[in-house]
Amino acid sequence: MAKPLVQMALDSLDFDQTVALATTVAPHVDILEIGTPCIKYNGIKLLETLRAKFPNNKILVDLKTMDAGFYEAEPFYKAGADIVTVLGTADIGTIKGVIDVANKYGKKAQIDLINVADKAARTREVAKLGAHIIGVHTGLDQQAAGQTPFADLGLVSGLNLGVDISVAGGVKATTAKQVVDAGATIVVAGAAIYGAADPAAAAAEISAAAKGSQSSGGLFGWLKNLFS
């Protein structure tokens, strides 16, 4: 089994701070994510800057596309994005458009399941279209209400569809391995890194935890670590 990838979510609106944080954490993560508020505020120039500075990292642009999938995603693939996201709540034609343009450039499309009512049905549907990554995502507002991505991860992983599964939503060093054991192939961390006193050390710790030996903690280990 291949080692999971670790992704860092860059969520600041400040261009220079984003580049500085990326510089700090890039050696310790596989994927740099330009978060939705960040890409909306800073635009494609930020992607071009990060692509030039970090040729060895994959870059995900979290567009959360809801319409005009091919048209909206194409400029970002052309500018160097490796992965672009489209909302699972979008029309199936929109999702197909992002998958098609990703294939055109030899890149990947990630379907974000945030707020999708029937996650199993939509996951099966987009997998048939050739989706490369399924994003199990508990948003910031949902986290504030006490939600976690674990149940949704178990549901999607249990479908055994052979697609990569990305998990985002409060992941930290003490829970990263449980997420991987539950089926995640991409572990996304944001606040656990950028909110740390030493973001580089936090990124390295999460990467080490995610890529370490298999544990047997399962659900009980997840809950114990989550609330410890």
Side-chain angles (χ1 to χ4, degrees):
M1 179 178 176
K3 292 285 186 181
L5 301 179
V6 173
Q7 178 175 313
M8 162 61 185
L10 300 163
D11 290 328
S12 172
L13 299 184
D14 187 285
F15 190 104
D16 293 335
Q17 286 182 8
T18 297
V19 175
L21 179 58
T23 302
T24 298
V25 303
H28 308 290
V29 300
D30 305 291
I31 304 170
L32 294 169
E33 171 194 334
I34 306 176
T36 310
C38 187
I39 194 63
K40 285 184 175 181
Y41 191 80
N42 292 291
I44 205 164
K45 181 181 177 182
L46 178 60
L47 168 60
E48 292 169 343
T49 298
L50 295 182
R51 180 73 288 157
K53 288 181 68 69
F54 307 108
N56 297 322
N57 293 88
K58 300 293 185 183
I59 297 179
L60 179 146
V61 177
D62 194 11
L63 286 184
K64 291 190 175 76
T65 291
M66 190 62 180
D67 190 23
F70 194 108
Y71 182 73
E72 182 168 288
E74 184 169 32
F76 293 89
Y77 286 121
K78 290 173 73 174
D82 298 287
I83 307 164
V84 169
T85 67
V86 56
L87 288 171
T89 53
D91 182 81
I92 197 65
T94 302
I95 295 172
K96 183 178 184 300
V98 178
I99 294 170
D100 287 348
V101 73
N103 289 333
K104 176 180 176 180
Y105 290 94
K107 304 299 181 65
K108 294 185 178 182
Q110 177 171 313
I111 289 70
D112 188 335
L113 296 182
I114 189 169
N115 289 335
V116 170
D118 190 337
K119 292 178 172 59
R122 178 54 36 136
T123 298
R124 290 189 184 98
E125 190 174 19
V126 300
K128 288 179 181 178
L129 290 178
H132 307 96
I133 305 168
I134 301 298
V136 175
H137 183 194
T138 301
L140 292 174
D141 295 335
Q142 293 170 326
Q143 291 176 53
Q147 297 182 40
T148 77
F150 195 79
D152 292 338
L153 171 58
L155 172 68
V156 173
S157 177
L159 298 175
N160 296 313
L161 297 175
V163 297
D164 282 321
I165 302 172
S166 170
V167 176
V171 177
K172 52 191 177 182
T174 54
T175 55
K177 194 57 193 169
Q178 280 76 27
V179 170
V180 173
D181 289 345
T185 56
I186 301 172
V187 177
V188 185
I193 296 176
Y194 61 68
D198 186 342
E205 183 181 13
I206 289 170
S207 289
K211 299 179 183 187
S213 59
Q214 294 289 322
S215 74
S216 57
L219 176 59
F220 295 106
W222 161 272
L223 293 173
K224 178 181 177 182
N225 286 324
L226 184 65
F227 295 106
S228 63

